[in-house]
Amino acid sequence: MATPVTPAEASPIAPEIPPAIDMAEDVRHFSAKLSAYLKPEEVARVEAAYAFSATAHSGQLRSSGEPYVSHPLAVAGTLADWHLDPQAVIAALLHDVMEDTAITKQEIADRFGKSAAELVDGVSKIDRIENQSYEEAQAENFRKMLLAMARDVRVILIKLADRLHNMRTLGAVPVEKRRRIARETLDIYAPIANRLGLNTLYRELQELSFLHLHPLRHNVLAKAVKKARGNRRELVGKITETLRRRLPEAGIEAEVMGREKHLYGIYRKMREKHLSFSQVLDIYGFRVIVKDIPTCYLALGTLHGIYKPVPGKFKDYIAIPKANGYQSLHTTLIGPYGTPVEVQVRTAEMHHVAESGVASHWLYKDESALSELQQQTHKWLQSLIELQSASGDSAEFLEHVKVDLFPGEIYVFTPKGKILGLSRGATAVDFAYAVHTDIGNRCVACRINFELMPLRTELKNGDRIEIITATHANPNPAWLSYVKSGKARAQIRHFLKTQQQGESAALGERLLGQTLAGLGLHLADIVAGVWERFLRDRSAKSKRDVLTDIGLGKRHAAIVARRLAAAREAEGGTPVEHKPRGAITIRGSEGLAVQLAKCCRPIPGDPIVGIIRKGQGLMVHTHDCRSIGKKHHERDNWVDVEWEPNTTQLFEVGIRIVAENRRGVLAKVAAEIAAGGSDIQNVSMDDDRSMYTTLNFTLQVSNRVHLARLMRGLRHIPEVLRITRTKE
Ligand code: MN
């Protein structure tokens, strides 16, 4: 983020203060840093980027009153300290130009190459999501989102250097903003630095955050530590002297360093363990650096011989490194006067990794070594695996690193700013089910970043998703073809199954009622006792199961009806006389249990026949449909059906129109269909470039009368030669 920018001309006091803060010295210093590890032509390219940035930001000032370009220069300086490649340093110099000036990504690519432009773009994208508010409890997800969005580790490194400089210069910023930025740094950026093993940076970010978040506590603690340092100087000197003498005596060549614990660490310990400052004894630590791993363990043994170790405090991060690659042996010794002292033992290489973490693997050598991003990433992961290979489960370790840097997950915002993690490729439907099953079941549309989008849209990191629901909406079976998450898939299936069972049970009840009527019985005549006897004899679970089975065609309504009649007589019911059975009426709104055959597309008014097939429910065909009637043995499955007198649904029907192949004929036909009160579901055209063309429509009509009226209207169009209803 660009910390407060004030265009010079907007400042009322600008004319009195000449913007004569000289950057020349800083630039010379920066160039010297670059020359230490880059070739002259690379240094020249980076310097050109500086000049470009200075021009782009000219006239802008920071809150401190310095020229704005001092900020990108400082950020690039940090990357140069880390010896990062020229593209990364160039990107650092330009990291704010896309957000704060009119410069485009293309312009950067043209001048400084695609790679630098991608990096600048990556940083700008993170700046944009940073502006979304996040809930404190969601810091972990926010960090993952940042890492997922960055893709290239260098984007994160630029972002961290950016944050470091903003934190170092936070004093000039208003108090409220200062606190917010400090909080965010502590929650988001310091842990990322830690995750990447950038320890020096991690500690400085924590110290600065602590200073700006709790200035009073920070000052009190700083004074106390200063005082304690005076008191314990003698102690520290004594331990240092002892170690420097005794280790070589044991044949160990070692560098011994005293190390002051940082304030935030002490503060956190006091808070977490409810200690007063005087109770926090180990404000000093020591570091012993040796030449190789065996010597680490030798040194440890020697240390334990000099001072007694505190039991349970020993940790072997050499055998089992931390996830960020950190390695060392940690032990706490009981020093002179019973003061506990923490000692870390490590090799020089481990020390280097501990201080600069991932950046140490990015050390820039020369152009030929800088290959594709993926290779570099691979190399970095590889080095982590090598660190790990000493022991432990490296597959799990690699998985851990991958999850954080190259996740199979994406992170998106709810309208209230909550962050949800979804698997890569997830759609708006997956999101809806992730929020709540009811939201998923009732979703009809979505807005992604405030724009209406199809539900099947694949979501991207940082998207803001709003789901639009309707009270009576149901899941669509088509969603199953694109949802990614197991939860969404399971919920959609569950809903459809339950729905179909409900519909099948209703159909089964109607089928059974119809058949019972043929026996002179009514469903109401079958009382609970009769059902119980029936269920017992047939070892069926429930009445509902039996009805569902009938609706699905798994049981024959006629057989169930006969057995129910028998059970009724066995229970003492009086025999009844047989009556002719009536037909099942079809409304067209039965849902999945009753389907109108696609081959003949029956509409109200057509003579129809129902066919019930095992597990499929009832299929309704027109009487003359060619797909039925060939197999006589199937007639057992036929069900007498007729249309309900006043259906209110719309039904799909196919018509074929042969017309003269003239311009605008389709428009005329479509207009006539609309005028006739029908909707076009589908249209196809045989374009054979001859004099005549065939148009195939699928329309929605109420019934045969409606269709007849529509066709009459269409015949009046002069170009139309022939109209037929299609059945195939
Ligand atoms: Mn910045």
Side-chain angles (χ1 to χ4, degrees), residues 260-402:
E260 201 164 300
K261 290 271 182 85
H262 62 302
L263 292 180
Y264 183 70
I266 298 171
Y267 171 67
R268 204 163 55 176
K269 193 160 188 177
M270 286 166 64
R271 286 201 63 158
E272 279 167 11
K273 303 201 169 156
H274 306 286
L275 300 172
S276 67
F277 178 69
S278 59
Q279 289 172 297
V280 181
L281 294 166
D282 53 344
I283 61 167
Y284 280 99
F286 290 88
R287 215 165 260 154
V288 175
I289 296 174
V290 297
K291 67 174 200 298
D292 54 20
I293 292 176
T295 316
C296 288
Y297 291 98
L298 272 179
L300 182 79
T302 310
L303 289 171
H304 286 182
I306 302 170
Y307 300 111
K308 243 190 210 343
V310 177
K313 284 283 194 177
F314 169 65
K315 289 197 187 80
D316 187 348
Y317 291 120
I318 290 180
I320 305 167
K322 290 190 183 179
N324 62 20
Y326 175 86
Q327 287 188 297
S328 276
L329 299 175
H330 287 193
T331 187
T332 304
L333 306 173
I334 301 174
Y337 321 118
T339 317
V341 180
E342 196 197 68
V343 185
Q344 300 170 344
V345 184
R346 54 174 73 147
T347 65
E349 201 194 321
M350 289 174 193
H351 183 60
H352 183 54
V353 172
E355 292 304 303
S356 53
V358 64
S360 69
H361 301 281
W362 283 77
L363 288 185
Y364 179 69
K365 309 240 164 43
D366 63 69
E367 193 75 41
S368 61
L370 183 72
S371 48
E372 281 302 295
L373 161 71
Q374 276 177 336
Q375 266 175 16
Q376 296 223 2
T377 307
H378 182 75
K379 227 165 70 188
W380 177 60
L381 287 173
Q382 199 59 44
S383 65
L384 286 177
I385 299 165
E386 280 158 16
L387 285 176
Q388 178 68 6
S389 64
S391 76
D393 182 354
S394 61
E396 190 203 328
F397 173 73
L398 178 61
E399 214 41 61
H400 196 54
V401 176
K402 268 206 297 205

Side-chain angles (χ1 to χ4, degrees), residues 29 33 37 74 76-84 168 363:
H29 184 61
K33 265 192 216 174
Y37 76 103
T78 302
L79 296 196
D81 289 337
W82 291 338
H83 286 200
L84 287 196
R168 280 176 178 169
L363 288 185

Side-chain angles (χ1 to χ4, degrees), residues 10 27 96 123 214 316 352 376 522:
V27 176
D96 277 332
V123 176
H214 306 293
D316 187 348
H352 183 54
Q376 296 223 2
H522 200 264

Side-chain angles (χ1 to χ4, degrees), residues 326-503:
Y326 175 86
Q327 287 188 297
S328 276
L329 299 175
H330 287 193
T331 187
T332 304
L333 306 173
I334 301 174
Y337 321 118
T339 317
V341 180
E342 196 197 68
V343 185
Q344 300 170 344
V345 184
R346 54 174 73 147
T347 65
E349 201 194 321
M350 289 174 193
H351 183 60
H352 183 54
V353 172
E355 292 304 303
S356 53
V358 64
S360 69
H361 301 281
W362 283 77
L363 288 185
Y364 179 69
K365 309 240 164 43
D366 63 69
E367 193 75 41
S368 61
L370 183 72
S371 48
E372 281 302 295
L373 161 71
Q374 276 177 336
Q375 266 175 16
Q376 296 223 2
T377 307
H378 182 75
K379 227 165 70 188
W380 177 60
L381 287 173
Q382 199 59 44
S383 65
L384 286 177
I385 299 165
E386 280 158 16
L387 285 176
Q388 178 68 6
S389 64
S391 76
D393 182 354
S394 61
E396 190 203 328
F397 173 73
L398 178 61
E399 214 41 61
H400 196 54
V401 176
K402 268 206 297 205
V403 162
D404 271 13
L405 280 181
F406 314 98
E409 282 200 317
I410 54 152
Y411 299 89
V412 296
F413 288 100
T414 69
K416 285 181 184 162
K418 201 177 160 209
I419 301 167
L420 286 184
L422 300 166
S423 33
R424 193 164 281 285
T427 61
V429 175
D430 292 290
F431 173 86
Y433 277 101
V435 173
H436 197 280
T437 303
D438 278 346
I439 307 276
N441 283 340
R442 310 218 173 289
C443 70
V444 289
C446 68
R447 281 198 190 90
I448 299 177
N449 303 325
F450 305 96
E451 223 177 288
L452 220 44
M453 297 293 280
L455 279 172
R456 65 182 312 146
T457 311
E458 204 174 290
L459 306 178
K460 294 191 302 298
N461 269 305
D463 277 348
R464 175 195 181 277
I465 325 291
E466 186 186 342
I467 295 293
I468 300 161
T469 58
T471 325
H472 299 294
N474 286 333
N476 182 342
W479 295 350
L480 287 171
S481 67
Y482 58 75
V483 293
K484 276 284 171 321
S485 62
K487 179 177 181 188
R489 190 168 294 278
Q491 294 291 351
I492 295 166
R493 286 222 175 97
H494 175 75
F495 183 93
L496 293 175
K497 202 174 157 206
T498 318
Q499 186 191 34
Q500 185 172 16
Q501 276 176 350
E503 287 165 354

